[in-house]
């Protein structure tokens, strides 16, 4: 197994939620609403000093129950480094890589940039844009959707004329 067992839940929460590492470190048990699957980040825990709810997938909720009691940003970063070495990954995977990937995945799945901005706790949309990297497949799908709309409009126009 390439993961660090002690920090595996931490890695998965970062992956599933897009939290900043410091937000995760400040997380308290009472901040997690397991019934409604939300992390309620208080303003004292966020970089922007604005409270925000973060939806949690059931998979991540299970990991939230397993968080190590005490851990540091450095310990998490070292754990990521060890995983990279074990799997032979040449580039660095960091806690922030998970955050970037979260934003990119949401963007590639068609989420609105304002939604991504809100989920990531950004106050400036330009910051969110840095986290999103549209891929060629999504560009092609966007063009295809426009063609579908065009074809539908053309059919309606032809039907009205005839």
């Amino acid at each position: 197994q390439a993961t660090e067992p002690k920090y595996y839940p931490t890695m998965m929460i970062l992956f599933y939620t897009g939290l900043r590492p410091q937000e995760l470190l400040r997380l308290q048990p009472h901040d997690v609403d397991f019934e409604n699957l939300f992390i309620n980040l208080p303003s004292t825990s966020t970089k922007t000093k604005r409270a925000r709810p973060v939806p949690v997938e059931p998979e991540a909720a299970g990991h939230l129950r397993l968080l190590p009691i005490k851990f540091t940003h450095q310990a998490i970063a070292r754990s990521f480094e060890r995983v990279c070495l074990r799997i032979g990954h040449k580039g660095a995977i960091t806690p922030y890589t998970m955050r970037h990937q979260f934003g990119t995945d949401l963007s590639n799945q068609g989420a609105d940039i304002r939604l991504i901005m809100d989920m990531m706790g950004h106050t400036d949309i330009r910051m969110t844009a840095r986290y999103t990297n549209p891929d060629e497949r999504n560009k092609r799908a966007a063009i295809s959707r426009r063609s579908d709309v065009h074809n539908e409009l053309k059919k309606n126009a032809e039907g009205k004329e005839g």
Side-chain angles (χ1 to χ4, degrees), residues 122-149:
H122 292 152
T123 56
D124 187 335
I125 203 159
R126 290 175 295 183
M127 178 58 75
T128 308
R130 290 172 42 189
Y131 282 76
T132 59
N133 302 307
D135 64 15
E136 292 303 316
R137 182 185 60 223
N138 288 325
K139 290 176 185 176
R140 180 66 52 205
I143 294 299
S144 178
R145 283 191 298 273
R146 290 188 51 78
S147 293
D148 292 344
V149 170

Side-chain angles (χ1 to χ4, degrees), residues 97-117:
T97 305
M98 295 297 206
R99 183 167 165 79
H100 283 267
Q101 191 60 49
F102 178 80
T104 300
D105 289 347
L106 288 177
S107 176
N108 287 341
Q109 292 164 9
D112 181 80
I113 194 163
R114 294 218 178 257
L115 174 92
I116 300 168
M117 179 180 159

